[in-house]
Amino acid sequence: MELTIFILRLAIYILAFPIYLLNFLGLWSRICKKCFPYFLARFTVMYNEQMASKKRELFGNLQEFAGPSGKLSLLEVGCGTGANFRFYPPGCRVTCIDPNPNFEKFLIKSIAENRHLQFERFVIAAGENMHQVADGSVDVVVCTLVLCSVKNQEQILREVCRVLRPGGAFYFMEHVAAERSTWNSFWQQVLDPVWPLLFDGCSLTRESWKTLERAGFSKLKLQHIQAPLSWEMVRPHIYGYAVK
């Protein structure tokens, strides 16, 4: 099995050589940063259609974590195009963080389509360093399809805990590594070396639930599912929330 994976990876390396060359020259990341938001805008439409029931279930109790004012203060990390906005409760105050400034025009469109929300600001920053957000200043942090691509999962979760108020919650929905000894796991391992180059740092083989279990939340509600998605590679999912 390991030899087969090695041979198939080698073939992919050869086929993807032009991409690796552009990446070596420092050009590929610039191309991706500009093009990826357009891909994600299309992908999230499909993803929301196929995952709408799971998202409604996940975000159904968001309002329970609102502060004394009754208004929910929410920070979305890796907000992308704002695909989650329609699932947030009315009056929710939303701050967005993403390292890619090219998402801003897509966010503006999503804000215009979701007038039930109170949009506060868009911060251009990586989730591992959210120094623009004060300690204990938000009720909820949301992160969907982000832990697969961040450079340091442990650091981003430390930042999440820092910005959450005591008793606040972290909501997540992520694709993860498939169960080992399955065909899905086999193909994830074959494709994983080139996948991050094609999809802005995304990894197919991360066991993100283990990082969440080690993060030190007082409560963790986590479910594993096979998401009803067209792309089999990303069907293994976890979703749920954790309380600080």
Side-chain angles (χ1 to χ4, degrees), residues 5-71:
I5 290 173
F6 173 77
I7 293 170
L8 289 171
R9 278 184 174 179
L10 184 60
I12 289 171
Y13 282 131
I14 294 169
L15 290 170
F17 176 75
I19 295 176
Y20 283 102
L21 179 60
L22 287 171
N23 190 56
F24 176 75
L25 295 173
L27 301 174
W28 184 250
S29 61
R30 296 181 196 174
I31 296 170
C32 275
K33 290 296 181 188
K34 290 186 177 180
C35 296
F36 188 66
Y38 292 92
F39 161 77
L40 198 63
R42 291 178 175 271
F43 173 79
T44 51
V45 170
M46 182 254 321
Y47 187 86
N48 271 354
E49 287 175 355
Q50 297 175 342
M51 296 293 287
S53 63
K54 291 298 180 185
K55 282 196 174 185
R56 281 192 290 268
E57 176 190 339
L58 174 64
F59 297 129
N61 69 336
L62 275 174
Q63 193 60 41
E64 294 177 12
F65 292 97
S69 68
K71 281 197 172 184

Side-chain angles (χ1 to χ4, degrees), residues 169-195:
F170 172 58
Y171 282 73
F172 55 89
M173 179 177 281
E174 301 287 339
H175 74 84
V176 293
E179 185 178 349
R180 296 185 183 185
S181 302
T182 62
W183 277 113
N184 202 348
S185 176
F186 171 81
W187 285 110
Q188 282 183 342
Q189 291 178 69
V190 169
L191 294 170
D192 196 52
V194 73
W195 199 267

Side-chain angles (χ1 to χ4, degrees), residues 121-142:
R121 57 177 174 149
F122 174 49
V123 179
I124 300 170
E128 291 93 337
N129 182 11
M130 300 187 288
H131 66 271
Q132 301 93 331
V133 184
D135 296 3
S137 61
V138 297
D139 301 315
V140 166
V141 177
V142 172

Side-chain angles (χ1 to χ4, degrees), residues 24-236:
F24 176 75
L25 295 173
L27 301 174
W28 184 250
S29 61
R30 296 181 196 174
I31 296 170
C32 275
K33 290 296 181 188
K34 290 186 177 180
C35 296
F36 188 66
Y38 292 92
F39 161 77
L40 198 63
R42 291 178 175 271
F43 173 79
T44 51
V45 170
M46 182 254 321
Y47 187 86
N48 271 354
E49 287 175 355
Q50 297 175 342
M51 296 293 287
S53 63
K54 291 298 180 185
K55 282 196 174 185
R56 281 192 290 268
E57 176 190 339
L58 174 64
F59 297 129
N61 69 336
L62 275 174
Q63 193 60 41
E64 294 177 12
F65 292 97
S69 68
K71 281 197 172 184
L72 184 72
S73 174
L74 184 149
L75 171 68
E76 182 163 353
V77 180
C79 56
T81 61
N84 291 323
F85 287 179
R86 67 187 179 100
F87 299 99
Y88 296 157
C92 178
R93 293 183 288 117
V94 179
T95 296
C96 292
I97 283 188
D98 201 287
N100 189 344
N102 296 298
F103 277 118
E104 187 166 13
K105 67 178 181 181
F106 295 93
L107 274 179
I108 291 170
K109 181 175 181 290
S110 292
I111 292 161
E113 294 170 350
N114 292 275
R115 297 292 187 182
H116 66 290
L117 302 178
Q118 181 182 332
F119 184 76
E120 298 203 319
R121 57 177 174 149
F122 174 49
V123 179
I124 300 170
E128 291 93 337
N129 182 11
M130 300 187 288
H131 66 271
Q132 301 93 331
V133 184
D135 296 3
S137 61
V138 297
D139 301 315
V140 166
V141 177
V142 172
C143 188
T144 62
L145 302 182
V146 170
L147 294 180
C148 60
S149 60
V150 298
K151 292 180 180 178
N152 188 323
Q153 289 186 335
E154 288 80 6
Q155 177 59 24
I156 199 171
L157 291 179
R158 282 194 289 270
E159 279 289 270
V160 166
C161 289
R162 179 185 66 79
V163 302
L164 277 175
R165 64 165 176 79
F170 172 58
Y171 282 73
F172 55 89
M173 179 177 281
E174 301 287 339
H175 74 84
V176 293
E179 185 178 349
R180 296 185 183 185
S181 302
T182 62
W183 277 113
N184 202 348
S185 176
F186 171 81
W187 285 110
Q188 282 183 342
Q189 291 178 69
V190 169
L191 294 170
D192 196 52
V194 73
W195 199 267
L197 286 178
L198 297 175
F199 299 105
D200 201 24
C202 174
S203 171
L204 289 169
T205 57
R206 288 192 176 176
E207 297 175 328
S208 302
W209 65 90
K210 293 182 179 179
T211 310
L212 285 161
E213 289 167 353
R214 295 193 301 264
F217 290 103
S218 64
K219 175 184 176 182
L220 176 61
K221 184 179 180 181
L222 183 152
Q223 296 183 59
H224 288 258
I225 60 167
Q226 287 294 314
L229 298 173
S230 305
W231 290 17
E232 188 168 346
M233 292 297 98
V234 294
R235 284 180 186 170

